[in-house]
Amino acid sequence: MALTRIQKESVLAEVSEVASHAISAVVADYRGLTALEMTQLRKDARKSGVSLKVVKNTLAKRAFAGTQFECLSEALKGPVCVALSTEAPGDAARLLRDFAKGNEKLVVRALSIGGALYGVTHLEAIANLPTRVEALTKLVVVMKAPIQKFVRTLAEPHAKMVRTVAAIAEKKKAG
């Protein structure tokens, strides 16, 4: 069913808005997926905070014009869906990688982060990037480790003295 001009402008505005705030984008060929599988993919995308759009290629190219995802224009051929991640750079790649494990018909074509175009070979590496919460947790652990070691070092002479006095008292009590 052909889209009217107003519908096309609406889709273009929606995709342009999401793309202007997105961190990463993944283009995948969804040819052969059933409607039920696409519904499941959309449901998983909503859960993970990824915007998943099936858009005509010409509209996607126009929506990406002037954004960091303009480099994806070459990958927009045939029936493709575009996953845009606004929270963490690996979210869209993780979503499509996990979904493709159970559905061989979904084929990732290209990825983009920060205006750089990556091939399918980088899918696993980008999908394994930590989420914001994971990255902050790792940062706090790294920052906390030296402080903990310093506190243990300061407390050790006192603890050693207490253990020594306790051992002497135990020895006198026994003997």
Side-chain angles (χ1 to χ4, degrees), residues 107-124:
V107 179
V108 175
R109 287 198 183 163
L111 306 103
S112 176
I113 296 178
L117 181 66
Y118 298 99
V120 181
T121 56
H122 293 91
L123 177 67
E124 194 65 33

Side-chain angles (χ1 to χ4, degrees), residues 23-51:
I23 299 168
S24 67
V26 181
V27 174
D29 187 341
Y30 67 92
R31 209 177 324 207
L33 291 179
T34 65
L36 187 61
E37 291 168 335
M38 281 302 290
T39 302
Q40 183 61 44
L41 179 59
R42 286 186 176 103
K43 186 177 176 183
D44 293 345
R46 279 191 299 273
K47 284 181 185 175
S48 61
V50 174
S51 175

Side-chain angles (χ1 to χ4, degrees), residues 6 36 49 62-63 76 119 154 159 175:
I6 295 170
L36 187 61
R62 286 184 185 170
L76 296 171
L154 288 178

